[in-house]
Amino acid sequence: MAAGCSSTPSGKSRNRPFRTKRPAQRGVFCFKMVFFALFFCYTEKNKSARRRKKAVGMDSIIIGIAGGTGSGKTTLTRRLKERFGQDVSVISHDNYYKRHDELPFEERCKLNYDHPDAFDNALLIYHLQELKAGRAIDCPVYDYADHNRSNEVQHIEPAPVLIVEGILPFVEPELCAMFDYKIFVDTDADERILRRLVRDVKERGRSLDSVINQYLTTVKPMHEAFVEPSKRNADIIVPNGGENTTAIEMLAHHIRSLIEKANML
């Protein structure tokens, strides 16, 4: 054997032993990847749980969003919900229309659903108090086609931010007093009626004649009597609702600062 030559048997290369370790190394690498993936999922899950726990231990911020029918308040609410996910729970004021099982459908159609007395605000106030105390609620669900509450409920968990949206949340003094911030969505009347026509016919199963009749007999007069004057109670007025991207950005930034200030995010 010449000096300086390898002493490995059968002329095998020095690199051979390193090849035998690669499967083990790949196993260790895969184990580490799985471990870190599980660890990431666990920490994210617990991060969400900590947010919920903080919401339970602290008063939630309650934001009221009001405006006339078809003003874009629901779209604005949805845009904010998309920004903050589980940090925001949304309650529709419409779901708190009073139940009228004692009346036949024909009589329920004649009721004025745009008057403040049409709402069960006492139940909504109680539910907001429960959410602020860290307890989940079962919110009623209103059936627009049947003009009555359905037998279903919507389970809502407490969250750092609670948003209540509807046409008349700023009219009832006791309910209005519960809002930390009040936003009024202001949109031209002609645009609002067009949006309502499309929405009620396509999404709520209403006939065109019934929508027009209701608008002329109750919606328009009640807007002038209650909705428009309630704008004076608002802290912020947003033109054009969910289409106003500048306002959405400003509101989202403000809400995030409120959550961070409360040490919830």
Side-chain angles (χ1 to χ4, degrees):
M1 180 180 295
C5 293
S6 172
S7 60
T8 54
S10 305
K12 290 183 179 180
S13 170
R14 287 172 181 254
N15 293 331
R16 189 69 175 180
F18 290 96
R19 290 177 184 169
T20 59
K21 291 181 181 180
R22 284 181 181 174
Q25 288 175 330
R26 284 197 296 269
V28 171
F29 177 76
C30 290
F31 173 79
K32 287 181 178 179
M33 290 296 292
V34 172
F35 173 80
F36 283 118
L38 291 174
F39 179 76
F40 176 78
C41 292
Y42 174 81
T43 53
E44 286 298 306
K45 184 177 180 180
N46 278 270
K47 185 178 180 181
S48 177
R50 285 196 300 271
R51 290 180 184 174
R52 292 286 179 182
K53 187 174 181 181
K54 287 178 180 179
V56 170
M58 302 178 67
D59 281 346
S60 299
I61 299 164
I62 304 182
I63 299 173
I65 299 181
T69 180
S71 60
K73 56 190 178 297
T74 302
T75 303
L76 174 62
T77 301
R78 185 170 63 249
R79 296 278 190 270
L80 293 174
K81 172 67 175 175
E82 290 169 355
R83 294 293 185 94
F84 297 99
Q86 292 184 344
D87 286 321
V88 171
S89 287
V90 176
I91 300 173
S92 173
H93 198 195
D94 284 7
N95 282 330
Y96 289 83
Y97 278 123
K98 293 176 180 176
R99 181 184 285 277
H100 289 289
D101 294 336
E102 76 283 3
L103 297 176
F105 176 76
E106 292 74 16
E107 293 300 316
R108 294 200 300 270
C109 291
K110 299 176 183 177
L111 294 176
N112 184 352
Y113 292 96
D114 294 274
H115 192 280
D117 291 344
F119 295 91
D120 188 354
N121 286 322
L123 179 60
L124 175 54
I125 290 170
Y126 170 72
H127 279 172
L128 289 175
Q129 291 170 339
E130 288 292 287
L131 289 168
K132 282 176 72 71
R135 293 184 286 269
I137 64 165
D138 286 329
C139 171
V141 175
Y142 184 75
D143 187 335
Y144 293 97
D146 195 41
H147 292 291
N148 205 6
R149 283 188 193 174
S150 69
N151 293 322
E152 299 177 1
V153 295
Q154 179 186 4
H155 187 75
I156 298 178
E157 292 285 340
V161 176
L162 307 173
I163 295 180
V164 178
E165 67 93 7
I167 58 172
L168 294 169
F170 299 165
V171 175
E172 173 67 34
E174 188 177 356
L175 176 60
C176 189
M178 295 202 68
F179 301 129
D180 298 295
Y181 293 92
K182 298 177 287 293
I183 302 168
F184 189 93
V185 179
D186 202 12
T187 305
D188 291 341
D190 54 352
E191 188 172 350
R192 289 191 291 104
I193 180 56
L194 289 173
R195 288 178 181 176
R196 182 182 177 109
L197 283 170
V198 173
R199 181 199 67 193
D200 284 8
V201 172
K202 287 189 174 181
E203 299 178 14
R204 297 180 177 178
R206 304 274 305 281
S207 69
L208 181 61
D209 288 342
S210 71
V211 176
I212 294 174
N213 181 64
Q214 186 182 37
Y215 182 82
L216 294 175
T217 56
T218 62
V219 176
K220 186 175 184 292
M222 295 302 100
H223 179 89
E224 294 170 352
F226 297 105
V227 181
E228 188 67 22
S230 75
K231 182 165 62 175
R232 294 193 294 265
N233 296 326
D235 301 305
I236 303 170
I237 297 175
V238 177
N240 301 322
E243 306 305 321
N244 192 331
T245 56
T246 302
I248 292 172
E249 290 293 335
M250 293 177 64
L251 289 171
H253 177 76
H254 185 57
I255 292 171
R256 184 170 296 280
S257 68
L258 291 174
I259 296 174
E260 291 173 348
K261 192 177 296 184
N263 196 27
M264 291 183 182
L265 189 63

